[in-house]
Amino acid sequence: VGTPGQKFSVVADTGSNSLIVPSCLCVQAGKCSQATRCFVGHDRSSTFHLFLAKSTRKPFEELLTFGSGQIAGVIARDTVRVGNLSTTMNDGLLLMVDKALNFN
């Protein structure tokens, strides 16, 4: 993800066009594991863009509900590569900022 690329284990939400990547904000807030490799887009990726609401200038946030719980993510755009394939995720890249998942 990004230019230059950062490697991650990602979650593809097969019920939507979203690719979920852990944000470093999630790790710093203690919502995601410290062992999680997190995405730093704003200062490491030349192709990164975070979508902000015009009225508040805050990132657009989306809440996704799964059988195991919920995650919150902010909507971004960046280049994503898998093997030799590359595409720009125009509005389907979600940077996870909070999670409440239970896998038990």
Side-chain angles (χ1 to χ4, degrees), residues 19-91:
L19 182 68
I20 303 164
V21 177
S23 165
C24 289
L25 294 175
C26 189
V27 174
Q28 291 167 357
K31 306 284 185 167
C32 295
S33 168
Q34 291 288 330
T36 300
R37 180 181 286 173
C38 58
F39 178 72
V40 181
H42 65 281
D43 64 351
R44 288 202 186 154
S45 174
S46 63
T47 51
F48 176 78
H49 176 75
L50 186 63
F51 292 98
L52 303 175
K54 288 183 182 180
S55 60
T56 64
R57 302 299 299 158
K58 292 185 178 182
F60 283 107
E61 191 168 305
E62 189 170 306
L63 185 66
L64 298 177
T65 302
F66 302 97
S68 57
Q70 295 181 324
I71 66 158
V74 294
I75 302 171
R77 175 180 64 223
D78 211 334
T79 301
V80 174
R81 289 173 201 79
V82 177
N84 292 329
L85 301 175
S86 176
T87 191
T88 298
M89 299 289 293
N90 287 315
D91 61 2

